[in-house]
């Protein structure tokens, strides 16, 4: 008997979890549950992480976690527990299937069958943010090559395992040439190893528009964390309701299953929430732990209930629905339908196949890394870049010269435009004019000169070349 850790969560969490557990128990699945408490009450009891040590122990021991949505209290320094759990447990792949249930659930996209594979550990979700001047704050977007490779390989393996034909990559590499550029490059490299699967790349903005308009053009889409977070909600919503989609968070050692939606405090306690998202998360979980028979039985009963037109208010529509029911009544109907077959909707391929072996990273040699310059960021309330440049030039030393100054990424010195609005946050690029490499001591000397000359340095970024390729972006207009 497999033990699954379960958390009832906040808002509509307890209602949809009760419904889901009742259905799993009635299906005869070979599982038992270890219940833990996480979320709002734990936060409000003074634990800013929202999870106790005992709860961590259960999740790490059983390695399979079914989680209802939780509420992250606003402000107060509370960190999102969802993000903490995904990252702490190394659950790098967030898989969100979004499939239309036409004609039973109304949607403008009856042919839609898209799986969003979202990177789950990196990107702006590192939560590394700093205020640097009175006017300017920063959020660090961290993307790693292993992080890209793991999620992209996962997407291709997923496609191969579940008989899908195409993997699409969304990125914004026309603007973020380093971060999104790396994601796209790794995608192209990995895609070459999967000749049986079609591949393509879209710039995320037009890709998102196409997804919202013509989702049937896509099969599996792999994305970084933020784009995947936003677009999986869009994808779920346009199948009929955000309340319909479940998701898995998969890592090397453990896995977490949930609905994609949040705790919906606006409808909590009213017995009107749709439990389908969490139930579908549970179906993916049962497949993952080898309980494929129970998973298929539940999925068929759920499809039958949807086909019968027994719908919660979020998907109830006059004409296509037959009976409007609450959370509990919906789950009663699914239980009554256990053992029955749907007439039109097909059990998903995931039900038949179960989990697959996670792909391994390829070893690669380290590149030759050379320090070729430094960006010194300074806080200066002067609005005139030429005046700022005069002060910054005073710190030049050891052949390191001020090459350019940018403000919010745009080159404003030399030869800036009067029209460009300048904040008090100046990036000053120093490089040797003869193109030679520099040392860390040269940077220390620059900073020492800055202190002596009253230049308010807020941070520095080293400029490297890797195997002779620039590892930094140019200023816009440079
Ligand atoms: P939400 O997903 O909770 O709700 C958005 C809208 O969708 C609401 O109108 C809600 O009533 C509706 N909705 C959501 N699930 C539904 C369901 N099962 N049936 C019917 N209608 C449903 O998003 P939100 O309001 O932005 O967030 C509420 C809280 O949830 C926040 O504290 C947020 O931090 C948290 N959250 C948690 C998770 C998670 O635990 N994985 C994910 C997202 C948001």
């Amino acid at each position: 008997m497999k033990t699954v850790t379960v958390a009832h969560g906040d808002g509509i969490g307890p209602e949809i979890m009760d419904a889901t557990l009742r259905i799993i128990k009635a299906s005869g699945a070979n599982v038992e549950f270890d219940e833990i408490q996480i979320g709002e009450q734990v936060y409000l009891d003074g634990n800013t992480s929202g999870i106790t040590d005992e709860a961590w122990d259960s999740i790490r021991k059983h390695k399979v976690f079914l989680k209802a949505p939780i509420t992250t209290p606003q402000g107060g320094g509370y960190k999102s527990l969802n993000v903490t759990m995904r990252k702490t447990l190394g659950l790098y792949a967030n898989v969100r299937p979004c499939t239309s249930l036409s004609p039973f659930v109304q949607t403008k996209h009856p042919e839609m069958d898209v799986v969003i594979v979202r990177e789950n550990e990196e990107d702006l979700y590192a939560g590394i943010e700093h205020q640097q001047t009175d006017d300017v704050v920063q959020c660090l977007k961290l993307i790693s090559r292993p992080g890209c490779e793991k999620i992209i390989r996962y997407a291709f393996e997923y496609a191969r395992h579940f008989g899908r034909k195409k993997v699409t990559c969304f990125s914004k590499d026309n603007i973020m040439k380093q971060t999104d550029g790396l994601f796209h490059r790794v995608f192209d490299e990995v895609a070459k190893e999967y000749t049986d699967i079609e591949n393509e790349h879209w710039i995320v903005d037009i890709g998102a528009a196409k997804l919202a308009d013509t989702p049937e053009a896509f099969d599996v889409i792999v994305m970084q964390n933020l784009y995947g977070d936003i677009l999986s909600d869009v994808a779920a919503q346009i199948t009929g309701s955000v309340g319909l989609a479940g998701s898995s968070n998969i890592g090397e050692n453990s896995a977490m299953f949930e609905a994609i939606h949040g705790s919906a405090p606006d409808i909590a306690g009213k017995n009107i929430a749709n439990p389908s998202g969490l139930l579908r998360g549970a179906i993916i979980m049962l497949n993952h732990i080898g309980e494929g028979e129970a998973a298929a039985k539940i999925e068929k009963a759920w499809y039958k209930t949807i086909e019968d037109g027994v719908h919660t208010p979020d998907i109830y529509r006059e004409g296509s629905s037959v009976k409007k029911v609450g959370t509990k009544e919906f789950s009663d109907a699914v239980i009554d339908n256990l053992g029955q077959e749907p007439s039109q909707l097909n059990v998903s391929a995931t039900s038949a196949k179960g989990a697959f072996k996670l792909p391994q990273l390829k070893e690669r040699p380290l590149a030759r890394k050379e320090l070729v310059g430094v960006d010194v960021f300074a806080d200066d309330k002067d609005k005139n870049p030429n005046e700022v440049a005069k002060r910054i030039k005073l710190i030049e030393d050891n052949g390191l010269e001020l090459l350019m100054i940018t403000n919010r990424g745009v080159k404003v010195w030399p030869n800036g435009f009067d029209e460009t609005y300048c904040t008090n946050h100046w990036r000053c690029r120093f490089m040797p004019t003869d193109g030679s490499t520099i040392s860390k001591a040269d940077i220390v000397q620059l900073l020492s000169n800055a202190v002596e000359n009253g230049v308010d340095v807020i941070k520095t970024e080293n400029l490297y070349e890797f195997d002779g390729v620039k590892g930094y972006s140019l200023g816009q207009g440079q």
Side-chain angles (χ1 to χ4, degrees), residues 357-374:
K357 207 165 162 285
L358 291 184
Q360 294 303 301
L361 284 179
K362 289 263 153 75
E363 290 288 326
R364 52 176 213 109
L366 284 181
R368 182 171 42 87
K369 176 180 168 187
E370 287 173 313
L371 185 60
V372 296
V374 62

Side-chain angles (χ1 to χ4, degrees), residues 12 67 69-72 82 242 258 261-267 273-274:
I12 58 171
K67 186 183 94 24
I70 51 176
T71 302
T72 310
N82 293 313
V242 73
E258 56 186 344
H261 59 75
S263 56
D266 54 334
I267 58 167
N274 189 343

Side-chain angles (χ1 to χ4, degrees), residues 57-130:
D57 289 345
S58 171
I59 297 168
R60 295 178 74 193
K61 179 172 169 203
H62 303 304
K63 301 188 182 343
V64 181
F65 182 25
L66 181 63
K67 186 183 94 24
I70 51 176
T71 302
T72 310
Q74 302 276 313
Y78 302 114
K79 282 282 201 187
S80 162
L81 177 53
N82 293 313
V83 177
T84 304
M85 276 185 307
R86 290 169 188 156
K87 291 170 67 165
T88 311
L89 296 170
L91 308 177
Y92 68 87
N94 188 338
V95 186
R96 298 180 157 192
C98 300
T99 314
S100 291
L101 302 163
S102 184
F104 307 104
V105 175
Q106 282 189 14
T107 165
K108 293 177 189 142
H109 307 288
E111 302 298 320
M112 177 171 181
D113 182 15
V114 174
V115 179
I116 307 243
V117 176
R118 165 189 170 192
E119 198 289 316
N120 223 8
E121 297 180 291
E122 306 198 329
D123 198 354
L124 294 158
Y125 288 61
I128 305 176
E129 295 192 294
H130 297 96

Side-chain angles (χ1 to χ4, degrees), residues 118-119 123 141 143 179-180 183 223-228:
R118 165 189 170 192
E119 198 289 316
D123 198 354
K141 174 160 173 158
I143 301 294
T179 48
D180 286 38
F183 196 78
M223 297 180 225
Q224 290 168 18
N225 207 340
L226 178 63
Y227 308 143

Side-chain angles (χ1 to χ4, degrees), residues 118-347:
R118 165 189 170 192
E119 198 289 316
N120 223 8
E121 297 180 291
E122 306 198 329
D123 198 354
L124 294 158
Y125 288 61
I128 305 176
E129 295 192 294
H130 297 96
Q131 177 163 4
Q132 297 185 329
T133 72
D134 203 46
D135 284 347
V136 178
V137 288
Q138 165 188 281
C139 178
L140 211 56
K141 174 160 173 158
L142 284 177
I143 301 294
S144 74
R145 179 174 262 277
C148 295
E149 192 179 329
K150 277 199 306 189
I151 194 67
I152 290 165
R153 279 192 188 285
Y154 185 94
F156 278 100
E157 290 289 332
Y158 182 97
R160 190 176 267 173
H161 187 74
F162 294 120
R164 291 190 169 256
K165 304 275 176 283
K166 182 169 77 173
V167 179
T168 305
C169 171
F170 280 3
S171 84
K172 189 76 186 170
D173 65 332
N174 53 331
I175 303 295
M176 284 163 279
K177 295 178 196 295
Q178 291 294 326
T179 48
D180 286 38
L182 177 63
F183 196 78
H184 187 175
R185 270 201 312 284
V186 174
F187 178 80
D188 286 345
E189 284 169 26
V190 172
K192 286 198 187 93
E193 297 176 30
Y194 293 84
T195 48
D196 50 327
I197 312 276
E198 205 186 316
N199 72 81
E200 63 176 8
H201 172 266
W202 287 71
I203 301 286
V204 62
D205 38 7
I206 188 62
K210 180 82 176 170
L211 174 66
D213 183 62
T214 323
E216 57 277 12
F218 298 106
D219 194 346
V220 175
I221 315 179
V222 64
M223 297 180 225
Q224 290 168 18
N225 207 340
L226 178 63
Y227 308 143
D229 191 2
I230 297 169
L231 292 182
S232 58
D233 269 29
V234 171
Q237 184 66 37
I238 65 175
T239 67
S241 166
V242 73
L244 286 171
S247 85
S248 53
N249 299 266
I250 308 288
E252 304 278 347
N253 299 308
S254 39
M256 178 170 88
F257 302 85
E258 56 186 344
I260 78 158
H261 59 75
S263 56
D266 54 334
I267 58 167
K270 297 182 178 162
N271 189 41
I272 56 173
N274 189 343
S276 298
L278 186 60
L279 183 64
R280 294 180 99 187
I283 292 169
I284 305 171
M285 174 191 82
L286 290 171
N287 281 310
H288 184 85
I289 61 175
E291 286 292 312
E293 209 175 301
K297 192 170 168 189
I298 295 173
E299 194 171 17
K300 286 176 188 171
W302 178 73
Y303 277 144
K304 174 86 172 69
T305 311
I306 296 287
E307 285 186 352
D308 288 347
V310 177
H311 293 168
T312 44
D314 58 316
I315 55 170
Y316 181 88
R317 299 287 178 278
E318 289 292 341
S320 54
S321 303
V322 175
K323 192 175 174 196
K324 194 189 280 184
V325 292
T327 315
K328 183 172 175 307
E329 294 69 30
F330 181 83
S331 54
D332 288 341
V334 175
I335 291 170
D336 286 347
N337 284 333
L338 284 169
Q340 299 208 45
E341 296 283 330
S343 59
Q344 287 189 43
L345 296 170
N346 287 323
V347 168

